[in-house]
Amino acid sequence: MLGSFGDAFRLPDLKRRILFTLGVLFIFRLGAHIPTPGVDTAAMAQLFGGSGGGVLDFLNLFSGGALQRFSIFSLGVAPYINSSIVMQLLVVIFPYLEKMQKDNTEGRKKIVQWTRYGAVLFAVVQSVGMTAWLGGLGIFSGSFFHALLVVTTLTAGSIAVMWMGEELSDHGIGNGISLLIFAGIVARIPEAIVQSWTMVRLGQLNLLVLLLGLVLMVVVVAGCILLQEGQRRLPVQYAKRVVGNKVYGGQSTFIPLKVNQAGVIPIIFASSILVFPYTVANFFSGSSVGQFVRDLFAPGSVFYTLCYIALIIFFAYFYTAVVFNPSDIANNMKKYGGFILGIRPGQPTADYITKVMERITLGGAVFLAVVALIPNFMSSVMGVRSFYFGGTAVLIVVGVALDTVHQIEAQLLMRHYDGILKKSGGKSGSLLRM
């Protein structure tokens, strides 16, 4: 892997992409430390150190600590993710939108544009909810115009984060939105280490419990890597074909079906959806209904845990269905004379691939849910109250890191073959001139 990174910096185009990615991540982390005007940051820090830390630490995880400082990037990528979820659901529900997404480039551009508009709408709703929440806690007590300034600042910050994520996807390495979440989580690791060591020194955390937590984290990392890299290989045989004087086919290969085809998307989507009702409940923080909804969707509650598991499994199947089409694979195999042993080509092959994919997706989804609930286990069973760098964060970090490394290796492989083709082209050209 280190050799791949060394080779990457020797290629000008790939080096430019990596440096662009690092530059955007630096700007993102810089913005996470710029406070929003009119908010008492000291009172915010005191709030996170109080009894409400469990919920707030969870909300703070995906913003990379920006919420704790109530910076201009406090909303992070949550509005864009919520808008993407709604748009993908609408594409599945309405055939017109599905046709737009599949048929032409202009249709996909319109869907992307509508997703951006939806992200702005979600940003406004969430920023108003957060401002009302701070007002109810007494941290923000400004006038209407001061509140309007806070809402505008948070919305503009969310739009800036959305733009940075799209620029990373277009001109950088990896998925932009996932990289921003990755950067926010990784940036909190030093703080988590210092806080854990301080708690051990003060006697608030048993050293044996800490070591057990570290061992559990190593096991989770290993499990996440196996989950991300695990695949079921379906053997495929290609029949021999005679075209002129040449014989094609006759070889055996396989179709790699990933156990976790959706990656970290189910956890990100499920977390973002469950945070939204809590944000909306802040509009009614003084009423019994608002307090009931906030308690209902508080991380760690029974209802929240059940919804979290159900949403993770749902989005694992949903996103797999979006990105993986067994019918296309079966048709391509039939076109080139390929078949799975014991299965007829065409629709029976598509049905068989779908059946296998449903089974392995269930295993991957259940494992995702188990990993995501590890922080709750650490908090309730082992008594580790500040274990916010838990299963969800580890899975996102491992998944994004592996995806980024694979993309760098793919870029290196593509340029390596380009170099071979250029060299062979030059030799053939010289032979022709001779």
Side-chain angles (χ1 to χ4, degrees):
M1 186 177 68
L2 294 177
S4 299
F5 278 108
D7 294 337
F9 278 93
R10 296 188 185 98
L11 298 173
D13 181 47
L14 193 54
K15 178 182 178 181
R16 193 181 308 115
R17 283 178 171 271
I18 294 176
L19 293 178
F20 179 83
T21 301
L22 295 176
V24 172
L25 293 180
F26 173 77
I27 295 174
F28 173 70
R29 292 307 305 159
L30 183 64
H33 290 79
I34 301 176
T36 302
V39 176
D40 189 351
T41 55
M44 284 292 295
Q46 185 178 3
L47 175 66
F48 273 79
S51 59
V55 175
L56 299 180
D57 279 337
F58 179 82
L59 299 174
N60 198 35
L61 174 65
F62 291 99
S63 64
L67 179 60
Q68 182 176 358
R69 307 178 190 91
F70 209 76
S71 72
I72 59 176
F73 291 164
S74 293
L75 296 181
V77 298
Y80 184 77
I81 293 175
N82 290 330
S83 180
S84 299
I85 296 171
V86 172
M87 186 54 63
Q88 288 190 14
L89 290 174
L90 292 177
V91 167
V92 174
I93 294 173
F94 296 102
Y96 174 74
L97 295 177
E98 185 178 5
K99 185 178 180 181
M100 286 180 59
Q101 189 178 40
K102 290 183 177 180
D103 289 351
N104 56 74
T105 306
E106 291 299 323
R108 287 192 293 269
K109 287 183 178 179
K110 286 184 179 180
I111 291 178
V112 170
Q113 193 66 28
W114 293 340
T115 303
R116 293 169 181 165
Y117 293 149
V120 175
L121 177 62
F122 276 106
V124 171
V125 173
Q126 292 184 18
S127 59
V128 171
M130 292 179 68
T131 304
W133 167 59
L134 292 180
L137 295 175
I139 297 176
F140 176 79
S141 57
S143 63
F144 170 78
F145 292 102
H146 287 151
L148 182 62
L149 175 63
V150 172
V151 171
T152 304
T153 302
L154 294 179
T155 304
S158 177
I159 296 173
V161 171
M162 175 180 66
W163 176 79
M164 285 189 288
E166 293 183 347
E167 289 297 308
L168 276 177
S169 298
D170 293 338
H171 306 291
I173 294 292
N175 181 278
I177 299 299
S178 298
L179 276 173
L180 293 179
I181 299 175
F182 170 86
I185 294 174
V186 171
R188 301 191 67 197
I189 293 180
E191 178 186 350
I193 295 174
V194 172
Q195 182 180 2
S196 299
W197 180 246
T198 303
M199 293 175 65
V200 171
R201 291 178 56 189
L202 297 177
Q204 300 176 358
L205 179 63
N206 193 306
L207 181 60
L208 182 60
V209 174
L210 177 62
L211 294 177
L212 182 59
L214 292 176
V215 171
L216 182 60
M217 184 177 294
V218 171
V219 173
V220 170
V221 171
C224 291
I225 294 175
L226 291 176
L227 177 67
Q228 293 296 113
E229 298 297 307
Q231 56 184 228
R232 166 79 181 276
R233 296 183 175 184
L234 297 181
V236 178
Q237 180 71 34
Y238 282 90
K240 291 184 179 180
R241 295 180 301 154
V242 179
V243 181
N245 296 326
K246 296 184 178 181
V247 179
Y248 295 93
Q251 75 274 17
S252 298
T253 182
F254 60 87
I255 302 175
L257 302 180
K258 296 188 66 176
V259 176
N260 185 24
Q261 188 76 33
V264 299
I265 297 299
I267 284 185
I268 296 176
F269 279 14
S271 302
S272 301
I273 285 182
L274 291 178
V275 166
F276 186 72
Y278 184 88
T279 305
V280 174
N282 290 321
F283 285 109
F284 314 97
S285 57
S287 64
S288 58
V289 176
Q291 188 62 40
F292 173 76
V293 173
R294 290 178 61 181
D295 294 339
L296 195 64
F297 286 93
S301 65
V302 176
F303 181 79
Y304 175 90
T305 302
L306 294 177
C307 290
Y308 198 25
I309 295 174
L311 285 174
I312 288 176
I313 295 176
F314 168 76
F315 280 115
Y317 277 99
F318 174 78
Y319 199 76
T320 299
V322 170
V323 301
F324 185 81
N325 192 334
S327 298
D328 290 345
I329 296 176
N331 292 333
N332 289 333
M333 288 171 53
K334 184 178 180 180
K335 180 179 178 181
Y336 293 101
F339 60 93
I340 299 175
L341 296 177
I343 307 297
R344 288 182 297 174
Q347 188 59 40
T349 299
D351 295 339
Y352 177 74
I353 296 176
T354 301
K355 182 179 179 181
V356 174
M357 199 67 206
E358 288 176 352
R359 290 180 176 178
I360 63 177
T361 300
L362 178 61
V366 171
F367 185 86
L368 282 176
V370 171
V371 170
L373 294 176
I374 284 180
N376 293 341
F377 169 79
M378 295 290 292
S379 298
S380 59
V381 177
M382 303 179 66
V384 183
R385 298 297 178 184
S386 61
F387 194 79
Y388 50 77
F389 190 73
T392 303
V394 171
L395 186 61
I396 293 174
V397 169
V398 171
V400 175
L402 288 175
D403 180 63
T404 304
V405 170
H406 289 331
Q407 290 201 26
I408 292 177
E409 291 178 347
Q411 295 280 346
L412 287 173
L413 186 62
M414 181 179 64
R415 284 158 176 77
H416 177 66
Y417 282 127
D418 285 346
I420 293 175
L421 291 173
K422 289 179 181 178
K423 289 179 182 179
S424 61
K427 289 180 180 179
S428 60
S430 61
L431 290 173
L432 289 173
R433 286 193 296 271
M434 291 176 65

